[in-house]
């Protein structure tokens, strides 16, 4: 799975004040219009620019390709419990058969048996596996998730997000992405 980024849209990579992306998945991008607005509101520093310019009758400006916030935004310590974040934690794969298709989520301990809708009881599951398991307990269905469900950290989701890069990464962004990836010998 990839996030579709159109190079013709000339998006700006948004970095926190510490020069790290606000998020990796989806990659923290702003439209060129939002980036210019933030420049004029003095909320960002321009780090890199595209060759393309925009003009008004009295002003010409190259479009920012990388901006950094002037004020540090404290990242959330605990990611929101959302369908998307469950899928990201589980790497967009059914936790029963590893299929990436037709994903939904499954309560490992079904609600009919007192299971709750929490990080520690919900996994990504394809529709066929979800229907096959139904409201049975894992032992009754003979279906056990590949990994035990858990509450991920923001870092866990960032690490998983790096496995699904956008279809397009501008060359000016590369110096600010994946700094903590192990270097090749």
């Amino acid at each position: 799975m990839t996030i579709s980024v159109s190079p013709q849209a000339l998006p700006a990579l948004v970095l926190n004040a510490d020069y790290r992306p606000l998020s990796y998945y989806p990659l923290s991008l702003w439209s060129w219009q939002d980036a210019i607005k933030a420049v004029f509101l003095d909320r960002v520093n321009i780090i890199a620019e595209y060759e393309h310019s925009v003009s008004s009758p009295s002003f010409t400006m190259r479009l920012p390709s990388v901006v950094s916030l002037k004020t540090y935004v404290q990242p959330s310590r605990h990611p929101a419990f959302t369908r998307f974040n469950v899928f990201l934690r589980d790497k967009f794969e059914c936790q029963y058969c590893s299929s990436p298709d037709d994903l939904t989520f499954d309560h490992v301990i079904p609600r009919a048996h007192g299971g709750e809708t929490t990080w520690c009881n919900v996994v990504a599951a394809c529709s066929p596996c979800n229907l096959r398991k139904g409201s049975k307990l894992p032992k009754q269905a003979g279906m056990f998730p590949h990994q035990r469900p858990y509450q991920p950290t923001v870092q866990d989701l960032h690490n998983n997000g790096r496995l699904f890069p956008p279809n397009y990464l501008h060359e000016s962004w590369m110096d600010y992405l994946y700094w903590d990836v192990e270097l090749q010998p």
Side-chain angles (χ1 to χ4, degrees):
M1 164 166 281
T2 60
I3 291 288
S4 182
V5 177
S6 170
Q8 295 79 22
L10 302 171
L13 175 64
V14 183
L15 307 175
N16 210 336
D18 65 356
Y19 288 75
R20 293 186 197 178
L22 291 175
S23 70
Y24 285 98
Y25 197 81
L27 191 57
S28 50
L29 300 175
W30 284 350
S31 69
W32 66 266
Q33 296 93 332
D34 288 340
I36 287 177
K37 181 178 176 182
V39 169
F40 280 102
L41 292 173
D42 200 32
R43 294 182 179 154
V44 296
N45 295 311
I46 298 174
I47 306 301
E49 299 171 325
Y50 290 108
E51 294 296 322
H52 190 80
S53 298
V54 291
S55 300
S56 74
S58 61
F59 183 78
T60 299
M61 177 182 183
R62 287 177 54 181
L63 295 177
S65 64
V66 180
V67 296
S68 70
L69 301 177
K70 288 191 172 186
T71 306
Y72 182 76
V73 174
Q74 183 69 38
S76 174
R77 295 182 91 128
H78 304 287
F81 178 62
T82 65
R83 180 182 300 261
F84 180 85
N85 284 344
V86 168
F87 292 167
L88 183 56
R89 177 200 66 191
D90 294 345
K91 299 178 183 169
F92 296 94
E93 290 183 347
C94 174
Q95 291 301 293
Y96 299 110
C97 74
S98 301
S99 170
D101 301 321
D102 200 17
L103 289 180
T104 182
F105 67 85
D106 177 60
H107 291 80
V108 177
I109 306 299
R111 290 186 294 175
H113 292 273
E116 297 180 349
T117 306
T118 64
W119 280 114
C120 296
N121 191 45
V122 171
V123 295
C126 67
S127 287
C129 285
N130 202 346
L131 286 171
R132 193 168 76 243
K133 181 173 173 285
S135 62
K136 298 178 198 140
L137 293 167
K139 190 171 184 176
Q140 293 171 323
M143 297 174 68
F144 300 91
H146 296 309
Q147 86 176 350
R148 187 182 191 123
Y150 66 97
Q151 181 170 354
T153 64
V154 171
Q155 189 64 41
D156 292 334
L157 296 184
H158 278 274
N159 290 340
N160 287 356
R162 289 184 183 117
L163 302 173
F164 305 96
N167 63 327
Y168 170 76
L169 295 172
H170 189 265
E171 61 202 37
S172 66
W173 303 352
M174 299 313 285
D175 286 340
Y176 305 98
L177 298 175
Y178 315 117
W179 277 10
D180 50 0
V181 173
E182 191 170 319
L183 298 174
Q184 298 295 321

